[in-house]
Amino acid sequence: RELAKSGKSTVIWSANWNCMRLLDGFNLPQAAFVVDSDIRKKDYFKDTPVSLPSDKLKEIGKASYLVLNAPFYAEEIKRWISDKTGRKFTKEDSIILDYF
């Protein structure tokens, strides 16, 4: 919310149980969006759309913060983002959420 208030965007990567817990009872600001590489998850949430990362390349490249809900694939996802957009997320502008 704080990032959205200042006009900055957040990528939330992976529509999964972690993401469901993160968004439970939370209205996602318009400056935040969820992506997942599995097209079948486009309707994973009732009120929050899920896009393919390839459909949000421009937005991902301009995002201020990255929330990774896939701890096992976090470094691979960060490399993909860097390769596709040139954006390099660091520990200061990203977080990896785990199940535990």
Side-chain angles (χ1 to χ4, degrees):
R1 279 184 248 193
E2 294 304 314
L3 287 169
K5 285 180 188 175
S6 62
K8 297 177 180 176
S9 64
T10 300
V11 181
I12 301 172
W13 197 295
S14 292
N16 57 19
W17 185 82
N18 275 353
C19 191
M20 188 179 301
R21 298 276 304 181
L22 175 69
L23 299 180
D24 187 32
F26 181 73
N27 289 327
L28 198 63
Q30 285 197 335
F33 57 95
V34 179
V35 297
D36 194 291
S37 59
D38 186 345
I39 189 68
R40 296 172 295 177
K41 292 188 176 180
K42 67 182 179 70
D43 298 318
Y44 192 79
F45 304 108
K46 179 182 174 190
D47 297 319
T48 303
V50 178
S51 302
L52 289 171
S54 57
D55 292 341
K56 291 283 196 175
L57 281 178
K58 185 176 178 181
E59 294 88 341
I60 292 169
K62 291 181 179 181
S64 298
Y65 203 78
L66 173 65
V67 177
L68 289 162
N69 294 304
F72 299 112
Y73 300 104
E75 293 309 313
E76 181 181 336
I77 291 167
K78 285 183 176 184
R79 274 192 306 276
W80 186 91
I81 292 170
S82 178
D83 290 348
K84 298 291 184 183
T85 71
R87 174 72 162 92
K88 295 183 188 303
F89 285 97
T90 66
K91 290 181 180 181
E92 286 76 37
D93 58 11
S94 65
I95 188 169
I96 300 169
L97 300 181
D98 205 339
Y99 294 101
F100 306 104

